[in-house]
Amino acid sequence: MFGRKKEEPSAQSVVDQAYATAPEPGAGKGAPTPKRKDQEAARKRPLVPNDRKASKAAERVAIQDQRQKMRQALDTGDERFLPVRDKGPQKRYTRDYVDARFSLGEYLMFGALLFVVISLIIPATSAGISYVLIGFWIMFLAVFVDVFILSRKLRKRLTEKFGEVERGSIWYGCMRALQFRKLRLPKPQVKRGQYPA
């Protein structure tokens, strides 16, 4: 009952089989191992370059090139060179969804500017300033409700499309909705009413 089974291979046969299937020595890499001093010499780089001015100039050119590519990406929506804040499929979907809808938040800054101008014209003691103040608070409340509705719809759409909502995507969309459409960066790539699929 607890004895050794006859079909099991012996330990010696397992070792012999492993030795037979092992590769021959020297046939593995196909090239000799490089010497340590050669490897160290290949890795050595000076801490300070010989020509500091040329190095700084090259670095400056590389930074300017990177900035130029980022500026173009903000105009064209090219994912490769966008800032980290704007990268990813969920952020692109959020941008397209916000840009496709009409948002009251776009005009909040204009309303605030109009309120400041009117409050400078109308004296603070008159009854007219209270109506202006009430009008501004009604507009602010309407923008708040609009952003709340946007966040709910956006969460639902992102969950349907991607399965889960990436952290920060809803906030990203709400902040974009509060910006005037022509001043948004990256620039809108869709027309109004052209919602993403």
Side-chain angles (χ1 to χ4, degrees):
M1 183 165 142
F2 293 107
R4 188 183 294 190
K5 291 182 181 176
K6 292 182 181 176
E7 320 61 91
E8 283 186 356
S10 66
Q12 184 61 38
S13 64
V14 170
V15 170
D16 291 342
Q17 187 179 5
Y19 182 75
T21 58
E24 292 180 22
K29 294 189 305 183
T33 303
K35 293 185 178 177
R36 182 174 182 160
K37 66 177 182 178
D38 295 336
Q39 285 185 325
E40 287 176 354
R43 283 197 308 262
K44 275 187 183 176
R45 289 188 198 100
L47 292 175
V48 179
N50 295 334
D51 190 359
R52 287 189 182 186
K53 285 186 179 179
S55 173
K56 280 189 177 183
E59 188 178 343
R60 198 176 304 118
V61 167
I63 290 171
Q64 286 175 348
D65 186 42
Q66 186 67 26
R67 283 184 185 157
Q68 182 65 29
K69 286 178 181 175
M70 191 180 290
R71 265 189 237 112
Q72 286 176 348
L74 288 172
D75 288 342
T76 61
D78 186 4
E79 283 282 327
R80 294 173 299 162
F81 302 110
L82 283 176
V84 176
R85 161 187 74 112
D86 301 308
K87 278 187 179 178
Q90 287 201 27
K91 297 285 177 74
R92 174 175 279 284
Y93 187 90
T94 301
R95 282 196 305 273
D96 290 347
Y97 185 81
V98 170
D99 294 338
R101 76 189 290 271
F102 172 80
S103 300
L104 287 174
E106 294 179 50
Y107 304 103
L108 181 64
M109 294 310 292
F110 293 116
L113 184 64
L114 185 65
F115 169 72
V116 169
V117 170
I118 291 173
S119 64
L120 290 173
I121 294 170
I122 298 175
T125 54
S126 70
I129 197 74
S130 61
Y131 294 122
V132 172
L133 189 60
I134 289 169
F136 176 73
W137 280 109
I138 287 172
M139 182 181 180
F140 186 79
L141 185 63
V143 168
F144 179 79
V145 170
D146 183 51
V147 168
F148 178 74
I149 292 169
L150 167 68
S151 68
R152 298 293 298 253
K153 285 183 178 178
L154 198 52
R155 184 177 300 279
K156 184 180 174 188
R157 288 283 195 102
L158 287 171
T159 306
E160 286 173 1
K161 177 122 177 122
F162 298 102
E164 63 177 357
V165 179
E166 190 179 279
R167 190 167 176 255
S169 294
I170 305 297
W171 180 255
Y172 178 77
C174 293
M175 290 298 102
R176 189 170 176 86
L178 294 176
Q179 297 169 358
F180 188 57
R181 182 180 165 87
K182 290 191 177 181
L183 300 178
R184 291 175 184 166
L185 287 175
K187 289 189 176 176
Q189 303 297 312
V190 295
K191 295 177 181 176
R192 286 201 196 271
Q194 191 181 346
Y195 290 95

